[in-house]
Amino acid sequence: MRDAYNAHTPLTLVYEGVWLMSARNAAWRPDVLLENGIRTILCCAEGSEAFRFGSRDITYMTTININDIVEGIIDVGVLTTTLQELHRHAVRKGGQGVGIYCRNGANRSSIVAAAYLMARSGLPATQVVTHLTA
């Protein structure tokens, strides 16, 4: 099932234990999340919570409004704190992966994934964008 699902709606591995995913597909499929090792979800836009489902096996991080951070409405420190929490979940013993998504798939989740990848790997933004685009 994992391969069949990923063939038409891929979950993209960003870094060990951190995945980009689609809200309209993966975020509401606990079976797909669990088969891919995703036990924690990070929503990157207000309103993304509408895609949540009741599953005792999935943990939801506090939603981060990346638009407000980019526009300077919310302090960038919120992003730093979220990235630290994301990392704690991603490297947790037992392989607890984290899925990142936003309700429209409009680059918000990619911004968070890029920030995480730059912080984790030390790569410059140009290389990270090239990696994520590929």
Side-chain angles (χ1 to χ4, degrees):
M1 182 178 101
R2 171 194 218 165
D3 293 335
Y5 178 85
N6 285 343
H8 68 81
T9 310
L11 298 170
T12 304
L13 183 63
V14 174
Y15 199 86
E16 300 167 9
V18 178
W19 301 80
L20 274 172
M21 60 187 202
S22 165
R24 289 188 170 83
N25 297 305
W28 60 271
R29 294 277 311 270
D31 55 334
V32 172
L33 297 175
L34 296 172
E35 282 194 38
N36 282 281
I38 297 170
R39 304 280 187 276
T40 303
I41 303 294
L42 172 60
C43 308
C44 298
E46 287 183 10
S48 296
E49 302 88 351
F51 293 99
R52 290 184 179 181
F53 48 84
S55 173
R56 66 180 189 280
D57 299 316
I58 304 294
T59 301
Y60 287 90
M61 292 175 57
T62 303
T63 298
I64 182 170
N65 189 337
I66 198 67
N67 287 353
D68 285 354
I69 292 170
V70 171
E71 294 170 10
I73 297 168
I74 297 175
D75 184 73
V76 73
V78 172
L79 176 61
T80 302
T81 301
T82 299
L83 293 175
Q84 290 169 339
E85 183 183 353
L86 188 153
H87 179 68
R88 282 192 299 276
H89 283 284
V91 299
R92 186 171 287 171
K93 196 173 186 177
Q96 180 175 344
V98 179
I100 304 170
Y101 77 93
C102 74
R103 70 178 183 270
N104 295 326
N107 301 324
R108 290 175 283 245
S109 52
S110 299
I111 289 170
V112 173
Y116 180 78
L117 187 54
M118 286 187 292
R120 185 86 167 107
S121 69
L123 292 172
T126 52
Q127 280 184 278
V128 167
V129 169
T130 299
H131 169 74
L132 291 176
T133 302

